[in-house]
């Protein structure tokens, strides 16, 4: 049976209507103006996070001493604003019943905090089978230490559940006969200077302006579906969505990947010794996926890649940039760069400061604060990104500097790999400085990227 028998022959007809429609579509396509991606002035401010000499011969005590030396003047600045003329004494000079102010580094004595000796405990049955996500307990106590001595702190004005080891502060109070210092006031370091913003910052109802895309936790490899990450790349490159979506994509001037681009356990397989062919293929696959994604992004806009705990970089903070040899495709573009963790940069005069999340996750274990934005706000008040390093957070034993001190008040403070997206604008009561806090969710779980408008600081 032929096709002619199945379908009746139709009379010849004109294709003028179809040709007219295609012609109209072609004319419309020709009338659409191509979108031009916006740009912005960029300055990398992360010089202090680069480690030239990687040595662990120094003692960590020197890092605490340096931190106290650098932050003490800023703490005393806050003290003098509130109580000018009040005596500031060393701990060794304390006299019973005399009110004074002492400055030092806080140590939080916590029985639940793990120690290296736990790995060599003979009585394993004495350890709890399930360890909590926090170290706090009712038996915690606070000790303040300066260059010569230490003293135990007490008082209702001192909330031990809101403080962590490594914070430099001043306390006003009275020394008691039992050797305890009763605290009546607490002072933190004065905030660093904040650059004035010359651009108008009035929030607008539309989506005009220039944006920075902040993403964390792609988690490529480990059996994860790479499709969401590819959809994100296509969207940022303007290959998906409506005309309005593509216009918004053209307003993205920079992309920052804030750590954990690889799935947990992916990078650790490399250090396990000789790999089989299958293991080599499993290691290469996520590298190739990320390299392809970065090359596509770098072809459209500047891209910064921060290292995270599951990425191919050192464990100790500050993490150094991942080597370009891992990304041969993306490395061909001048718009691609690996950056440190923490990472600080200026974009059109707006100062960004961010981490991949290790610092906030570690502080979270020391306190009863459940809101990650509260933890971030506390770290800004302490003027230190990683106060718990080197106590429970790995870091290099710096002897002449502490790169984690917040030297300038940022306009945007972002932290990657957090449980959920959160944002808040905080204003310093003392200086009036304003900072946008942004907690970035894990992209592989949420499918969410965050756009920060550098013209209004809206998020």
């Amino acid at each position: 049976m032929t096709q002619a028998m199945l379908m009746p022959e139709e009379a010849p007809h004109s294709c003028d209507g179809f040709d007219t429609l295609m012609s109209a579509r072609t004319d419309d396509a020709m009338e659409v103006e191509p979108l031009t991606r916006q740009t912005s002035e960029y300055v990398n401010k992360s010089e202090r996070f680069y480690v030239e000499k990687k040595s662990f011969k120094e003692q960590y005590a020197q890092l605490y001493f340096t931190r106290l030396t650098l932050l003490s003047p800023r703490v005393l600045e806050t003290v003098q604003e509130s109580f000018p003329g009040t005596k500031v004494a060393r701990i060794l000079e304390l006299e019973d019943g005399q009110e004074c102010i002492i400055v030092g580094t806080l140590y939080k004595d916590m029985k639940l905090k793990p120690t290296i000796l736990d790995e060599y405990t003979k009585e394993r049955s004495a350890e709890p089978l399930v360890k909590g996500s926090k170290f706090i307990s009712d038996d915690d106590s606070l000790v303040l230490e300066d260059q010569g001595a230490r003293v135990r702190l007490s008082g209702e004005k001192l909330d031990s559940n809101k403080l962590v080891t490594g914070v430099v502060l001043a306390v006003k109070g009275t020394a008691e006969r039992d050797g305890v210092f009763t605290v009546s006031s607490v002072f933190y370091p004065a905030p660093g200077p904040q650059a004035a913003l010359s651009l108008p910052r009035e929030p607008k109802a539309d989506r005009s302006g220039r944006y920075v895309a902040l993403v964390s936790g792609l988690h490529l490899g480990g059996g994860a579906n790479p499709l969401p990450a590819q959809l994100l790349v296509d969207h940022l490159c303007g290959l998906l969505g409506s005309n309005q979506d593509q216009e918004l994509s053209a307003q993205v001037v920079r992309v920052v990947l804030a750590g954990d681009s690889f799935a947990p356990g992916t990078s650790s397989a490399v250090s396990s010794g000789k790999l089989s062919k299958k293991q080599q293929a499993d290691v290469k696959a996520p590298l190739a996926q990320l390299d392809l994604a970065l090359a596509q992004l770098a072809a459209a806009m500047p891209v910064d890649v921060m290292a995270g705990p599951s990425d191919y970089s050192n464990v100790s903070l500050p993490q150094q940039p991942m080597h370009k040899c891992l990304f041969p495709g993306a490395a061909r573009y001048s718009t691609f760069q690996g950056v440190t963790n923490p990472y600080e940069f200026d974009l059109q005069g707006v100062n960004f400061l961010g981490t991949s999340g290790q610092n906030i996750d570690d502080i979270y274990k020391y306190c009863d604060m459940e809101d990650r934005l509260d933890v971030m706000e506390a770290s800004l008040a302490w003027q230190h990104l990683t106060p718990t390093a080197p106590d429970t957070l790995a870091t290099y034993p710096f002897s002449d500097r502490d790169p984690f001190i917040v030297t300038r008040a940022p306009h945007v403070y972002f932290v990657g790999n957090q449980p959920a997206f959160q944002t808040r604008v905080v204003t310093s009561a003392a200086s009036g400085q304003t900072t946008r806090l942004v907690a970035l969710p894990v992209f592989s779980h949420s499918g969410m990227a965050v756009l920060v408008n550098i013209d209004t600081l809206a998020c």
Side-chain angles (χ1 to χ4, degrees), residues 302-317:
V303 182
D304 303 329
V305 182
M306 300 169 59
S310 66
D311 294 328
Y312 292 90
S313 183
N314 55 289
V315 175
S316 300
L317 294 179

Side-chain angles (χ1 to χ4, degrees), residues 286-345:
L287 283 171
Q289 292 174 10
L290 183 59
D291 184 31
L292 177 60
L294 293 177
Q296 292 175 325
L297 286 173
M301 71 197 81
V303 182
D304 303 329
V305 182
M306 300 169 59
S310 66
D311 294 328
Y312 292 90
S313 183
N314 55 289
V315 175
S316 300
L317 294 179
Q319 287 185 290
Q320 301 304 287
M322 287 187 283
H323 202 280
K324 286 189 175 183
C325 69
L326 297 173
F327 315 108
R332 299 175 182 175
Y333 295 90
S334 60
T335 51
F336 166 80
Q337 66 171 346
V339 295
T340 59
N341 170 36
Y343 176 39
E344 182 179 5
F345 63 97

Side-chain angles (χ1 to χ4, degrees), residues 41-52:
E41 183 180 351
Y42 164 82
V43 181
N44 192 329
K45 296 287 186 176
S46 301
E47 297 86 359
R48 68 183 189 275
F49 298 125
Y50 284 90
V51 180
E52 298 179 358

